[in-house]
Amino acid sequence: MKPSTVILLPSISPLPFFRQRLPPRRLLIPPGGVPPVSCSRRPDTVPAPPLQATTAEYVPNAVDGVFLGLFRSKMAEEVGWDSDKPGYDGLIDVARRLMMKGTNADAKDAAVRILRALFPPLVLELYKLLVTPIGGGKIAAVMVARVTALTCQWLMGRCMVTSIDLPDGTHCQSGVFVERCKYLEESKCVGICINTCKLPTQTFFKEYMGIPLLMEPNFEDYSCQFRFGVPAPSPELDSALKEPCLEICPNAVRRKEVTRDSQTMQQCPKA
């Protein structure tokens, strides 16, 4: 070692030396440190977007048209009849015919078969066998929430993935919030919502994909909250099944005319 080198080292101030070479990203950490951030929720410093409905309607694209045509064809095949109306209006006509074809249980079972027919053979079984068990089912729930929000807006309208509370007390990005359900708004019927959408969809994901699902439609503002990973309550405890008919429902209007009592709204007979 050279003597000059030994002599010069004590003369260099270590504080300026490290200040000059301190990585810039370390300066972003405050002296007191930062609180730990859970991967299942947003940091407190980053506010989540408000869940408020927008006035703009979702504009379907070409891919949405393919989804609509496929879904309608499967529904018409199940019903044995198709409407002369084009597009979404014809789909609603077929849904109404499905409700008139039999009992509520018949409509629910038929809707489950329609959902199953939308998937290629073995896909549901492989998903339930290989994907659902990972992470206690949370990964599968997050995946289906994202796919639902991306591929089902043509049916329900604008929606977004949200964080929900799970039964084990944790949070998970496995919720889907529908701002204003087009299917409910166009059908104008609680029974169609319950028996051709809510109940069969809950049954489909639980039995054929192994993912519990609770759907919470709001019959006042037509919004709906999907909660993948949350079991649905028993029919006796499900408040959605006790909802009265919508005032705009054609069947409700007819009943009002017969009873001549516009103040009484009975529970929807199809719910």
Side-chain angles (χ1 to χ4, degrees), residues 32-47:
V34 294
V37 178
S38 171
C39 62
S40 61
R41 61 178 298 181
R42 292 176 177 268
D44 294 337
T45 56
V46 181

Side-chain angles (χ1 to χ4, degrees), residues 71 110-119 124 197 200-201 204-205:
F71 185 75
V112 172
R113 290 193 295 268
I114 293 170
L115 292 174
R116 291 183 60 190
L118 296 175
F119 292 84
L124 297 177
C197 184
T201 303
F204 169 77
F205 278 102

